[in-house]
Amino acid sequence: MTSPQTLLLQNGRIIDPANNLDGPGDLLLANGVIQRRGKAGSLSCPDNGKTIDLRGKWLVPGLIDMHVHLREPGEEYKETIASGTKAAAAGGFTAVACMPNTKPVNDNQAVTSLILTRAAAAGYARVYPVGAISNGSRGTELAEYGELKKAGAVAVSDDGRPVVNSQLMRRALEYSGNHDLLAISHAEEVSLSENGVMNEGALSTRLGLRGIPSAAESIMIYRDLALAEYVNRPIHIAHISARESVDLIRRAKKKGCKVTAETAPHYFTLTEEAVGLYNTRAKMNPPLRTADDVAAIRDGLRDGTIDAIATDHAPHSVMEKDVEFDQAANGIIGLETAVPLAMALVRENVLSPVRLIELLSVNPARILGVGGGTLSEGSPADITVIDPEKIFVYTKERVVSKNSNSPFLGWELTGKAVLTLVAGKITFSEPE
Amino acid sequence: MDAKYRFQHKHILGIDELSVHDINFILDSAESFKEISQRPIKKVPTLRGKTVIHLFFEPSTRTRLSFEIAAKRMSADTFNIAASTSSATKGETLIDTAKNLTSMNPDIIIIRHSSSGSPHLLAKHIKASVINAGDGTHEHPSQALLDMMTVREKKGKIEGLKIAIVGDISHSRVAHSNIIGFTKMGARVHVSGPATLIPQGIEQMGAIVCRNPAEAVKDADVVMALRIQKERQLDPLFPSLREYASFFGINRELLQSAKPDAIIMHPGPINRGVEMTHDVADGEQSVIMDQVTNGVAVRMALLYLIMGGEER
């Protein structure tokens, strides 16, 4: 990492949906902010600065992953704030929102402060802590949202487990409004999903694995949409995986509900077939679904039903993954593969480049109510440079995260973040 | 049989990965092994010097005994490991167990485990051959093979028969292996049971789902009842054993609609009076004890074939 210097990023393809821009241009960065933006070749670099030529590369507002698990405090053998944010930078992310299911749970200002202190010390990415909806995420009483907000939390969620009690969810939606915190729903009806380990259907039957019906997700989404509408509060639905979920959210948006939603790259890339013969690296919650669900998720990304792509980066060690399928932990890492997997949707004409940047930067910033998502003059120089043609094989040796529990190991991927800057400082630069 | 055919499986993990040729070949071999168990001295030297380990993470009486008798009649050295439970959080992991066993150079590991796919995991981490003796709700290949052997023996063929399987299809690895196996061999498998115990997508495995046992049993050549696990009523998957017995149990009256020469099968152990009345279990159509006898022969054949089937 370097200190902020004056930097001229020249001749890149600037994709900045917030300013309605998509075309060649230059950016001059100084003192950690975007000082000037101009046509390609129009800006010159002062003597003390450095010029980087970005011909053929995309110059976009820093990517924001609104759903990651950094595992610290408590499970540092899986990931630390430093290793997780380093992986974020390598994947092109300048900011991440981390879920509260650490040990202890982030249901108080002490944990929130610790996360922010460690994140600042690491310096790889901005970290936005998500506090717990309920104390210990036990689903019984509300956590102290005022204290969490004061310490720096941007949202609340009991991610990893759903809020089973509808009254508590209603109260969380209401009370989070006092403190201007976004409520995020991990939508899962546990009486249907309990002990399930993959999508329910012919394949789970054939493999003899307990299934999780997609209704387990959609039923809870419906409940949370109904509650949010009733108390007139915004709600964000995390990691949607199924067609019915997309349909419900599309309908709610048409009605004018304040709902936003995210999905993860694996839900628009893989089907349940990836489980193969008990591959625990394809085990996550919600589970991989069918080709029909993948098509619906892609439609949702295209038509605006789904607002954000978030990775649900969930590192686990071999201790949790090299075991019997039904005993393996849920979750895969995702920070370093999100850009190429999302770029595939651009190549397949599912998304325009502008839409892609909305999903990965503009919308997450807006939904979380944090800065970023723009390349306007005067805004912090959080910037990602993507080489859309870069081909690489995602090998174990390449993985920056502390663990390599990814179903994409060994895949040849196209498109990669090659330069990441946070407040004008280079946090990642792809070796030549 | 195709002259070029050779049995090439190192492991027996499921019926799913066996071809029609493989199954016929195993059944033919088993028939020739059956005679050994009828001799006064029931022992051949075929597997002398081979080490067979029975790694059972779930309780089993008959399958383990059947495999053990099969191995001993072929002169293999057999060992039992009865692990109470395996868990990622307590005790040794399955992969560690596999590595430890490999260090002792066994030839065959026979595994039963409550987790579906655990034989596949073991096979990936061990040099020895692995035989699946039942994994979770996935497969129980040797049981399906002995069932197919019994049907072939009694009916002279499998192709074209109507097989009715009644009971808990969801949780039965025996049902899964039999549906795959009998369908592969050209039989029509009709299943019935409480709708709560018929899994999603079972049709895609080749089964024909019937609304009630009467529909499944009508004109059947083979009627197989599955063991109902009593704790399932707590889940709740059916209201009571009494209701189960009266609507899904196999009794004389129900059997009237099957073919007159239909055979009655059960993988055991039977809950008498629940999935089957005892006059049916003990009646002349019942081949339940033949299944047990054939179990030894099928397992001898499997042990022999995965060891390369050297000349006998």
Side-chain angles (χ1 to χ4, degrees), chain B residues 90-122:
Chain B
K90 55 182 175 193
E92 193 175 55
T93 66
L94 188 60
I95 292 176
D96 280 337
T97 305
K99 286 178 181 163
N100 276 283
L101 291 177
T102 291
S103 306
M104 291 183 260
N105 264 325
D107 299 287
I108 300 173
I109 309 286
I110 296 162
I111 180 176
R112 168 167 289 192
H113 197 293
S114 59
S115 293
S116 298
S118 43
H120 302 70
L121 183 65
L122 188 69

Side-chain angles (χ1 to χ4, degrees), chain A residues 86-309:
Chain A
K86 191 176 179 189
F93 290 96
T94 57
V96 296
C98 61
M99 291 297 149
N101 60 339
T102 46
K103 292 177 178 168
V105 168
N106 183 15
D107 59 5
N108 62 75
Q109 53 177 331
V111 176
T112 302
S113 304
L114 175 127
I115 291 168
L116 289 171
T117 307
R118 300 255 160 106
Y124 288 114
R126 296 180 199 273
V127 173
Y128 299 116
V130 176
I133 281 180
S134 63
N135 281 333
S137 288
R138 283 185 299 269
T140 47
E141 71 268 354
L142 293 175
E144 293 173 337
Y145 296 174
E147 298 286 334
L148 283 165
K149 172 78 179 186
K150 214 164 75 185
V154 299
V156 288
S157 174
D158 274 352
D159 189 68
R161 51 171 92 169
V163 176
V164 172
N165 184 314
S166 304
Q167 181 73 302
L168 181 77
M169 191 63 188
R170 172 199 169 154
R171 297 309 181 204
L173 284 161
E174 290 171 331
Y175 185 60
S176 58
N178 285 94
H179 302 288
D180 203 20
L181 286 166
L182 173 72
I184 300 175
S185 162
H186 166 118
E188 179 183 356
E189 166 52 43
V190 278
S191 67
L192 282 171
S193 62
E194 215 165 21
N195 301 322
V197 295
M198 71 171 293
N199 183 48
E200 182 171 312
L203 190 61
S204 65
T205 296
R206 182 173 280 273
L207 291 171
L209 294 172
R210 177 97 161 217
I212 302 174
S214 52
E217 180 173 301
S218 51
I219 286 172
M220 201 55 127
I221 290 178
Y222 185 78
R223 181 201 75 174
D224 287 349
L225 289 173
L227 289 172
E229 189 183 8
Y230 182 63
V231 302
N232 192 27
R233 280 282 300 150
I235 188 160
H236 178 75
I237 313 291
H239 48 56
I240 63 169
S241 69
R243 173 175 287 279
E244 298 80 14
S245 310
V246 179
D247 290 345
L248 278 171
I249 291 162
R250 185 178 290 125
R251 223 182 321 157
K253 282 192 166 183
K254 249 179 216 152
K255 266 174 72 184
C257 297
K258 295 180 228 165
V259 56
T260 53
E262 74 191 32
T263 191
H266 39 278
Y267 301 124
F268 60 69
T269 308
L270 299 175
T271 67
E272 58 180 358
E273 299 286 339
V275 171
L277 280 173
Y278 309 98
N279 176 13
T280 59
R281 278 160 189 78
K283 182 181 176 187
M284 72 286 291
N285 185 25
L288 297 171
R289 308 265 186 206
T290 65
D292 179 60
D293 294 296
V294 170
I297 294 284
R298 288 172 168 224
D299 285 343
L301 285 166
R302 179 176 30 211
D303 72 10
T305 302
I306 300 172
D307 303 89
I309 294 171

Side-chain angles (χ1 to χ4, degrees), chain A residues 414-428:
Chain A
T414 303
K416 191 177 184 316
V418 291
L419 185 67
T420 313
L421 297 114
V422 175
K425 292 190 236 176
I426 294 173
T427 52
F428 171 76

Side-chain angles (χ1 to χ4, degrees), chain A residues 298-331:
Chain A
R298 288 172 168 224
D299 285 343
L301 285 166
R302 179 176 30 211
D303 72 10
T305 302
I306 300 172
D307 303 89
I309 294 171
T311 65
D312 200 1
H313 179 81
H316 289 293
S317 79
V318 291
M319 286 193 288
E320 290 84 22
K321 282 295 195 181
D322 281 2
V323 295
E324 296 86 334
F325 192 89
D326 58 1
Q327 293 175 28
N330 284 312

